[in-house]
Amino acid sequence: MAQISREQIAPLHEIIKITVAPADYNPAFEKSLKTYAKTANIPGFRKGMVPIGVIKRMHGAAVFTEEVLKTIENELTKYVQAENISYLGQPLPQDDNDPGTFNYNDGKEYSFSFEIGLKPEFSLPDFATLPTKLHVVEANDEMVEEEINRMQQKLGNMTEPESVSREEEVLNVAFEPCDASGVVEEGSSPKENSLLLKYFSEKVRSELMGKKKDDTLVIQLSSAFEDKERDWVASDLGLDKNNQDDMAKYFLLKINKIGFVEKKELNEEFFKEALPGKEILTEAEFRTEIRTQIEAYWKHQAQHLLEHEVFHILSEDTKMEFPETFLRKWLLQTNENKQTAEDIEKEFPAFLNQLRWTLVSNEIATGNSIQVNRQEIMDSLRQQLMGYFGSMNMGGNYDWLDSYVERMMADEKQVESAYQRVFSSKVLAWAASQVKPTEIIVTASEFLALQEKHNH
């Protein structure tokens, strides 16, 4: 029977030593030799009739080493299970373990030692006392008006006015590098873009008023747009918004097309088209429904932000100790990306936070019977696909979706990824339902700024 000893070398960091004798490994060794003899193809011998002695001379050393290692690993597994040892990662063979010393003629004991990192003990917090906030965005008249205007624009009819006359008009334009007088650079080529008239600075807007298709105007980036619009226009043109020389460049702006969306009127026909199935007859009812939808949207976003806040608290502030020396060694030996010790050290704090979250989320799930079933995984994959393809015009035909999801279910990585998404979502939803957040009224812009901080 194998001899096993256990020694602590640091908090939560131990060495387990396994010593096996001939009585532990010889039966498996002899059995493997017999199996090998039945299948070996060796010239001069009929298949299945090769003497054990020949097999031992030719392959005994390799078979012996393999069986001794298997015996050691099996004994380690049985010991860990019998002692109910909860560990992190997996046991690491120590560097001084040397299978090269194994010899089937010796008939002696062999010892292997393994380092093991133990899972820390910890307590879940009192969720009701966690310092959390629920950021509430109230739907105001301006939001309602803005959303209605957006819907009127989306469902409106596109027209092509003869000349520029309204800030809501869309100009399809071409930018071509030139000098201050409008002489185009030799060898240059125009770059097209579509811009609302109101994106231009006030001075340029006034100069564009009355312009028609094929008319031109010389502009300078530094003065043609406000800051936000200038940044993305410069990016589209391949220029650096922080480079003064780039911002000082002149362009000949040519109008290729003028477009204007005639907004839908607020009538029963529009209400049905904008909100099908709602049976809305009056403008007052329509505005009430839009306000309700806006409030529902921000309520969902607030709940999502609350869950992110709870995640950060649990993954960063839950008190637990780790066998950090062991974990660094384990990461270095088992990482598939061939990271260096410096790489691992740089990412180690984030790794510990993720490990802390894994332990906390598993504890929450165990204590509250949170599970993920096959249908939930399939629904997550379907939602993921709809995110990829939902914006494409498929005419409402999604018959292919279920068969595609079934194919994805055969991919272990896809299934594992979907499982983790659903699992984390369910755990966070439970945790967020247990806290008692302080409600804070914020504006939409303030909320978006908070959301950006939690975006990861």
Side-chain angles (χ1 to χ4, degrees):
M1 184 175 179
Q3 300 175 34
I4 302 176
S5 63
R6 184 173 169 188
E7 176 190 359
Q8 184 184 66
I9 58 176
L12 301 177
H13 190 179
E14 298 183 355
I15 290 179
I16 298 177
K17 184 177 181 181
I18 311 288
T19 301
V20 292
D24 299 311
Y25 58 73
N26 269 338
F29 174 51
E30 297 297 336
K31 183 178 178 180
S32 287
L33 288 177
K34 291 177 182 178
T35 302
Y36 208 106
K38 291 178 181 178
T39 58
N41 235 335
I42 297 177
F45 298 93
R46 290 167 57 191
K47 187 174 182 180
M49 302 297 291
V50 183
I52 292 295
V54 174
I55 294 296
K56 185 177 284 190
R57 285 196 301 273
M58 295 182 68
H59 304 288
V63 174
F64 182 76
T65 298
E66 182 180 357
E67 291 304 328
V68 173
L69 290 175
K70 281 184 181 178
T71 302
I72 291 170
E73 290 173 1
N74 289 338
E75 292 294 339
L76 175 64
T77 300
K78 287 192 295 183
Y79 177 77
V80 167
Q81 291 175 346
E83 295 294 316
N84 196 25
I85 300 174
S86 296
Y87 58 89
L88 301 171
Q90 66 246 26
L92 294 177
Q94 285 201 293
D95 295 337
D96 57 0
N97 293 339
D98 185 10
T101 63
F102 295 173
N103 189 328
Y104 62 82
N105 290 316
D106 287 348
K108 66 178 185 179
E109 296 181 341
Y110 296 106
S111 297
F112 254 49
S113 297
F114 298 85
E115 290 185 52
I116 192 167
L118 303 182
K119 286 185 179 178
E121 294 184 358
F122 64 94
S123 299
L124 292 176
D126 179 357
F127 288 91
T129 64
L130 291 181
T132 54
K133 302 180 184 67
L134 184 67
H135 297 89
V136 178
V137 177
E138 296 180 335
N140 55 37
D141 291 343
E142 183 181 352
M143 289 181 183
V144 173
E145 194 64 38
E146 184 178 329
E147 178 60 15
I148 292 176
N149 183 66
R150 186 193 67 79
M151 297 173 82
Q152 288 177 289
Q153 292 274 359
K154 180 181 178 181
L155 299 175
N157 300 314
M158 178 64 76
T159 63
E160 295 186 24
E162 184 177 339
S163 62
V164 179
S165 60
R166 289 161 289 202
E167 291 194 352
E168 292 76 20
E169 289 171 345
V170 178
L171 304 184
N172 290 347
V173 298
F175 291 83
E176 197 160 8
C178 67
D179 61 18
S181 62
V183 177
V184 173
E185 292 181 7
E186 187 176 349
S188 66
S189 57
K191 185 171 179 59
E192 297 185 353
N193 209 329
S194 295
L195 305 167
L196 283 168
L197 180 63
K198 63 182 180 181
Y199 288 169
F200 291 91
S201 64
E202 184 177 354
K203 177 177 181 297
V204 173
R205 287 201 303 269
S206 64
E207 293 175 348
L208 286 169
M209 286 294 181
K211 294 281 188 183
K212 299 181 179 180
K213 181 179 179 299
D214 295 329
D215 284 349
T216 60
L217 179 69
V218 176
I219 64 169
Q220 189 176 28
L221 284 186
S222 59
S223 59
F225 302 95
E226 302 300 334
D227 290 345
K228 184 172 71 173
E229 287 76 19
R230 186 189 308 117
D231 289 350
W232 62 261
V233 170
S235 178
D236 281 352
L237 294 172
L239 301 175
D240 183 357
K241 63 182 182 181
N242 298 314
N243 186 310
Q244 291 185 353
D245 291 337
D246 281 357
M247 294 301 97
K249 289 185 176 180
Y250 289 91
F251 287 88
L252 184 67
L253 191 73
K254 180 183 176 183
I255 300 175
N256 292 331
K257 183 179 177 181
I258 304 169
F260 178 71
V261 177
E262 290 183 347
K263 296 193 299 184
K264 286 278 189 176
E265 292 185 25
L266 292 174
N267 54 32
E268 190 174 339
E269 179 186 353
F270 169 68
F271 303 150
K272 288 181 179 180
E273 188 176 2
L275 299 174
K278 290 292 184 179
E279 300 299 328
I280 292 175
L281 303 177
T282 68
E283 181 178 339
E285 291 174 343
F286 183 73
R287 289 182 178 277
T288 298
E289 177 60 27
I290 294 300
R291 186 182 297 274
T292 299
Q293 291 189 4
I294 293 173
E295 288 174 346
Y297 168 80
W298 285 111
K299 182 178 181 181
H300 175 76
Q301 294 299 312
Q303 182 65 23
H304 192 58
L305 186 60
L306 174 62
E307 291 177 7
H308 271 259
E309 186 178 357
V310 171
F311 167 79
H312 282 290
I313 292 173
L314 295 177
S315 65
E316 296 169 9
D317 298 340
T318 303
K319 294 184 183 301
M320 61 179 77
E321 299 297 324
F322 290 108
E324 295 190 12
T325 300
F326 169 82
L327 289 173
R328 286 183 173 91
K329 186 174 183 179
W330 175 73
L331 287 171
L332 190 60
Q333 291 189 16
T334 61
N335 79 86
E336 297 179 356
N337 298 324
K338 305 302 179 187
Q339 291 173 300
T340 65
E342 290 75 16
D343 294 332
I344 288 172
E345 193 61 36
K346 182 179 179 181
E347 299 174 8
F348 197 65
F351 166 78
L352 288 184
N353 284 346
Q354 182 58 49
L355 179 56
R356 189 179 290 108
W357 165 245
T358 299
L359 295 174
V360 167
S361 59
N362 287 339
E363 183 74 11
I364 291 173
T366 301
N368 297 279
S369 301
I370 296 174
Q371 298 177 339
V372 177
N373 60 42
R374 176 182 172 85
Q375 187 59 50
E376 289 171 325
I377 292 174
M378 293 180 70
D379 290 343
S380 177
L381 291 173
R382 187 177 291 106
Q383 186 178 14
Q384 182 182 6
L385 285 171
M386 291 297 290
Y388 291 153
F389 301 114
S391 60
M392 297 172 62
N393 183 14
M394 297 183 180
N397 181 13
Y398 293 101
D399 294 342
W400 55 273
L401 197 56
D402 287 340
S403 61
Y404 201 107
V405 169
E406 285 291 348
R407 288 199 297 273
M408 292 178 73
M409 289 294 289
D411 186 330
E412 289 186 11
K413 288 186 176 180
Q414 293 276 13
V415 172
E416 176 62 21
S417 178
Y419 172 87
Q420 291 297 338
R421 283 198 303 272
V422 177
F423 177 76
S424 291
S425 177
K426 294 179 78 169
V427 169
L428 280 172
W430 179 89
S433 72
Q434 304 303 303
V435 301
K436 298 186 181 302
T438 301
E439 286 197 7
I440 299 177
I441 306 298
V442 295
T443 65
S445 59
E446 288 172 337
F447 185 93
L448 292 174
L450 290 166
Q451 204 172 42
E452 183 65 26
K453 287 174 61 178
H454 284 266
N455 190 21
H456 53 74

